[in-house]
Amino acid sequence: MNDQGVQNRSHSSPGSVSLLATLAAVVGGILLGRAELPVALLVPLFLVGLGMVGLRPRRFVGWGLLLLLATFLRLELMEWRPVAAVPERALVTFHGRALRRESRLTERRMGPETRVQRVAELRLRGWVRLKSGERFPGTFRLFLDEPVASVRPGDQLEITNLELRHPLSRRNPGGFDQAFVFWRRGIDAELREIKGLTSLHTLRRGGGVLRWTDGLRQRLREVLTEAVPMPGRAVLEGLLFGARDDLHPDLYEAFVVGGVVHVLVVSGANFALLLTVVFFLLRLVGTPLGGVYVGTAVVGGVYALLVGWEPSVVRAGIFFGLYLLSRWLERDFAPLSALGLTGLVVLLLEPRMLFDVGAQLSFAAAGAILYLLPPWYRPIRARLSRRLFDRLGRWAAATLLATLAAQMATAPILAYHFRRLSWVGIVANVPVVALSEGLTLVGLITLIAGLLWTPLGGFFGGVAQLGGTLLIEMVRWFGSLPEARLWVPRPSWPLLIGWGVLLLAMGRPSALRRRPVYSLAVGLLSALAALVWHRAVQPAPGLLEIAFLDVGQGSAIVLRAPSGVTALVDAGPPGAGERVALPYLSDRGVRRLQLLVVSHPDADHAGGAVEVLAQMPTERLLLPPLRSPTTATERALRERFRPLPPPWPPEDLFPGPLDGWARWPPQALPPGLGENDASLTLLLDYGDFQALLPGDLEAQRRVGAPGARCRKRMGPSR
């Protein structure tokens, strides 16, 4: 039977419909769990489901309702967090087991300088004890400034003098929601080291699968260390193990900007490549076919343990396990049905995976490739022969189309969660993915050769180093293109649904050709509905919007005038520009700043301005007229952007009905005026409304407009 017949049967078979309905029931139960509905409302649903199970025509619907309720109750049990009763910043002692140990290079700001430092992360499960003796169970995350080489997964630990921190919810629109990230990762709280006081003791060495797989992982990485020099080894460890231990933050950022960071996470393609190599090696040594399938599945399971059960690995492992099972049983394999069954198994094991960004990206990319690639690629394949040149053309076309399908499916997810997209990723993924797959194959050969004979591993390690260097230079070049990464507003739900309908339609080109007028009408109406709903949720025009962002110690104020002018007055301390100001501006749909005002050069007001200028197009910059640059931040601002010289007429600051008066300081600074008292002070005048943004003025100054009285003083509270 041809592939088309198999594919059509898989779409319309009762088993496929039942699978989709069961998956929908599980997803519905998870969403109900997040909706925080009272349990009493679910009793009628339970009775209805139980009754439908007894009626044969409605039995399947009843089982669906019961499965929905079971998933809901499972998620409710996972919400139980006894550690939530522990006071913030409480001094605790941890007793329990180490689940995971990682280390990586990270940037730490120490005053005006930024240093690269290695930190260790431990995932712990056990209980914390207060000084009063009370115990609270949970799963915890602990960062240590020094790597802890002695701690291995499975070890029983006692760590004294730790500070417990509860995760923070989103403090600004578009900001980072740490509490939700902790929830979806199953972490109850964070433990922090206290310098000079925290002490770690290993009570008992662990054993079993966790310790064995960690030892095997360390041995394989030692082989890479001996065979492959830096920086190729850092990239190869990312490709093979998903590790970032030796990856410099600047290099990781280049992969992010270039839209190819996914190659540093063990993907389904890497998993398939490993299983393919193992499959052919077992066939080469004459292993019976059944032993080949079992051996390949065992190696896949061990590899999944080595890389830590990341969402992409779990998805790929279950998917390829189903494929091997179908081959062994000589049954037809329906890829989309297998992907749906994979999602069902993953959600039953871990319902919170539905909200994990990595899982969403992994399943969306795989589903788009499986659904869109066959109808897109089939006409190209029919036009090309089997000659070598045409084979290369078919491979390039398949790679480009697969990349395009994956990018189209993952772009709205990236925009929704991160408000950033990389336009160069569509082009960069073709050569980068091809090179990374070849480098992964060379890395596997290097590992096997290094285990057998060290000099042979060194030979292949040299080849891997060349490939890694080439990959790094390629990624840096793509990342250096102008505006390679764009800030975009978070898409609305109608827009996401409309985009999903469009992808479904693009996977059925034959149906579109048969009914072009109907398809065009549906597409236009869907686009119009998405546009209408997107506009409906936007704020009403004609209003002045002033937003005071929560940046901790410091100030950041966003002004949005009715004329469309957007200004940022201060940007908070270092790091707040990228973590707070830019996500908020992107969430509000701002792509360009007309004005950036730095009231004075203190770090808590000007620290994030450099980050904003580096990533957001800005037309004008206002700095206070100080005698000379007094801080490294101010010098960096003046080097990156030439500030607008005074005087500043109000029509130059905010055109339209909003007037912005720079009322202080005068161009001729009074002698002995401190930096705070020299803060650039703005007076906003909009109709009957006035507001004063005084920066860090300490002494009372006459800064209002001549003959006018300011009715609202607005600024950060002291």
Side-chain angles (χ1 to χ4, degrees), residues 4 250 401 709 711:
Q4 183 67 33
D250 289 342
L401 291 176
R709 181 182 178 186
R711 291 177 289 278

Side-chain angles (χ1 to χ4, degrees), residues 47 52 70 178 180 236 311 329 596 634 667 690 698:
L47 296 177
M52 286 186 172
Q178 187 186 43
F180 181 69
L236 203 57
L329 299 177
L596 173 60
E634 188 182 4
Q667 295 185 36
Q690 284 185 326
E698 297 178 357

Side-chain angles (χ1 to χ4, degrees), residues 511-523:
L512 295 179
R513 286 195 297 268
R514 288 195 301 267
R515 308 173 70 179
V517 177
Y518 172 78
S519 303
L520 180 61
V522 171

Side-chain angles (χ1 to χ4, degrees), residues 287-368:
T287 307
L289 191 59
V292 170
Y293 292 135
V294 173
T296 304
V298 169
V299 172
V302 172
Y303 185 66
L305 288 173
L306 284 176
V307 300
W309 294 101
E310 294 296 330
S312 58
V313 177
V314 174
R315 187 263 306 163
I318 299 176
F319 182 84
F320 285 108
L322 294 173
Y323 172 75
L324 292 174
L325 182 63
S326 68
R327 290 288 302 271
W328 192 7
L329 299 177
E330 298 182 353
R331 299 290 183 89
D332 292 330
F333 181 70
L336 286 175
S337 297
L339 186 65
L341 181 58
T342 301
L344 180 62
V345 173
V346 168
L347 292 180
L348 288 175
L349 294 176
E350 178 53 81
R352 288 178 292 205
M353 196 69 77
L354 178 65
F355 306 99
D356 186 85
V357 181
Q360 293 173 8
L361 293 173
S362 177
F363 277 92

Side-chain angles (χ1 to χ4, degrees), residues 142-466:
L142 170 63
F143 280 112
L144 299 172
D145 287 340
E146 297 294 333
V148 188
S150 60
V151 176
R152 306 283 290 273
D155 289 352
Q156 293 291 327
L157 305 175
E158 180 187 57
I159 311 176
T160 60
N161 295 321
L162 293 169
E163 186 179 78
L164 187 140
R165 296 285 188 92
H166 293 289
L168 299 175
S169 299
R170 181 182 289 114
R171 300 191 297 178
N172 298 283
F176 179 65
D177 192 346
Q178 187 186 43
F180 181 69
V181 172
F182 271 40
W183 175 82
R184 76 184 184 210
R185 294 180 180 177
I187 302 174
D188 296 306
E190 182 175 349
L191 302 175
R192 294 193 179 181
E193 176 186 12
I194 302 176
K195 290 293 185 182
L197 294 178
T198 299
S199 178
L200 187 149
H201 307 279
T202 302
L203 303 179
R204 187 174 67 252
R205 291 295 180 185
V209 177
L210 283 178
R211 188 168 182 85
W212 179 82
T213 53
D214 184 72
L216 177 60
R217 176 181 172 131
Q218 296 302 320
R219 173 62 186 135
L220 294 176
R221 295 186 64 178
E222 289 174 2
V223 172
L224 283 183
T225 302
E226 295 175 357
V228 186
M230 293 291 290
R233 185 178 77 244
V235 176
L236 203 57
E237 288 178 347
L239 293 174
L240 295 175
F241 306 112
R244 291 170 46 193
D245 297 32
D246 299 314
L247 198 66
H248 195 279
D250 289 342
L251 181 56
Y252 182 79
E253 182 67 13
F255 276 86
V256 173
V257 174
V260 293
V261 70
H262 61 88
V263 302
L264 297 177
V265 180
V266 179
S267 63
N270 293 5
F271 200 87
L273 183 61
L274 170 68
L275 295 187
T276 302
V277 172
V278 173
F279 184 90
F280 282 106
L281 285 178
L282 292 177
R283 292 289 289 171
L284 187 63
V285 298
T287 307
L289 191 59
V292 170
Y293 292 135
V294 173
T296 304
V298 169
V299 172
V302 172
Y303 185 66
L305 288 173
L306 284 176
V307 300
W309 294 101
E310 294 296 330
S312 58
V313 177
V314 174
R315 187 263 306 163
I318 299 176
F319 182 84
F320 285 108
L322 294 173
Y323 172 75
L324 292 174
L325 182 63
S326 68
R327 290 288 302 271
W328 192 7
L329 299 177
E330 298 182 353
R331 299 290 183 89
D332 292 330
F333 181 70
L336 286 175
S337 297
L339 186 65
L341 181 58
T342 301
L344 180 62
V345 173
V346 168
L347 292 180
L348 288 175
L349 294 176
E350 178 53 81
R352 288 178 292 205
M353 196 69 77
L354 178 65
F355 306 99
D356 186 85
V357 181
Q360 293 173 8
L361 293 173
S362 177
F363 277 92
I369 292 174
L370 293 176
Y371 181 73
L372 296 176
L373 184 59
W376 289 0
Y377 177 63
R378 195 176 296 114
I380 298 177
R381 183 177 182 179
R383 290 183 175 88
L384 297 176
S385 65
R386 301 183 63 85
R387 292 179 298 180
L388 177 61
F389 181 78
D390 287 345
R391 286 184 179 181
L392 292 176
R394 285 193 297 180
W395 171 84
T399 304
L400 180 61
L401 291 176
T403 300
L404 181 61
Q407 292 280 334
M408 292 182 66
T410 57
I413 300 175
L414 292 172
Y416 184 84
H417 289 288
F418 304 109
R419 270 79 68 190
R420 287 184 286 187
L421 290 177
S422 176
W423 66 267
V424 302
I426 299 177
V427 180
N429 268 280
V430 176
V432 169
V433 169
L435 183 57
S436 63
E437 289 180 354
L439 189 57
T440 302
L441 181 60
V442 175
L444 292 174
I445 297 174
T446 301
L447 285 177
I448 297 173
L451 290 172
L452 298 176
W453 189 33
T454 302
L456 184 60
F459 170 76
F460 287 104
V463 179
Q465 168 67 8
L466 291 176

Side-chain angles (χ1 to χ4, degrees), residues 377-642:
Y377 177 63
R378 195 176 296 114
I380 298 177
R381 183 177 182 179
R383 290 183 175 88
L384 297 176
S385 65
R386 301 183 63 85
R387 292 179 298 180
L388 177 61
F389 181 78
D390 287 345
R391 286 184 179 181
L392 292 176
R394 285 193 297 180
W395 171 84
T399 304
L400 180 61
L401 291 176
T403 300
L404 181 61
Q407 292 280 334
M408 292 182 66
T410 57
I413 300 175
L414 292 172
Y416 184 84
H417 289 288
F418 304 109
R419 270 79 68 190
R420 287 184 286 187
L421 290 177
S422 176
W423 66 267
V424 302
I426 299 177
V427 180
N429 268 280
V430 176
V432 169
V433 169
L435 183 57
S436 63
E437 289 180 354
L439 189 57
T440 302
L441 181 60
V442 175
L444 292 174
I445 297 174
T446 301
L447 285 177
I448 297 173
L451 290 172
L452 298 176
W453 189 33
T454 302
L456 184 60
F459 170 76
F460 287 104
V463 179
Q465 168 67 8
L466 291 176
T469 303
L470 178 60
L471 180 64
I472 291 172
E473 294 302 320
M474 185 183 299
V475 170
R476 289 191 187 278
W477 183 82
F478 279 113
S480 66
L481 295 177
E483 297 190 20
R485 182 173 56 176
L486 302 175
W487 287 91
V488 296
R490 169 177 284 184
S492 60
W493 278 106
L495 194 60
L496 292 174
I497 295 173
W499 186 259
V501 171
L502 177 63
L503 291 180
L504 291 175
M506 294 177 68
R508 298 286 185 176
S510 58
L512 295 179
R513 286 195 297 268
R514 288 195 301 267
R515 308 173 70 179
V517 177
Y518 172 78
S519 303
L520 180 61
V522 171
L524 290 176
L525 289 176
S526 300
L528 181 60
L531 180 62
V532 168
W533 281 103
H534 180 70
R535 293 294 184 185
V537 299
Q538 297 301 310
L543 297 179
L544 171 64
E545 179 182 323
I546 305 178
F548 294 84
L549 305 184
D550 184 355
V551 295
Q553 174 63 36
S555 173
I557 306 171
V558 177
L559 308 175
R560 300 184 69 197
S563 60
V565 173
T566 302
L568 177 64
V569 182
D570 293 329
E578 185 167 7
R579 291 184 290 103
V580 179
L582 286 171
Y584 176 82
L585 292 170
S586 174
D587 187 71
R588 305 300 292 171
V590 178
R591 298 185 180 181
R592 175 180 293 274
L593 275 178
Q594 281 70 38
L595 181 65
L596 173 60
V597 180
V598 177
S599 63
H600 66 295
D602 283 0
D604 59 345
H605 286 246
V610 177
E611 304 159 11
V612 173
L613 285 177
Q615 301 189 43
M616 176 75 70
T618 305
E619 297 179 4
R620 290 165 295 174
L621 170 66
L622 262 63
L623 295 177
L626 298 178
R627 298 178 181 87
S628 62
T630 57
T631 65
T633 301
E634 188 182 4
R635 287 192 292 270
L637 286 172
R638 293 182 181 274
E639 291 173 1
R640 180 176 291 274
F641 202 99
R642 183 179 179 182

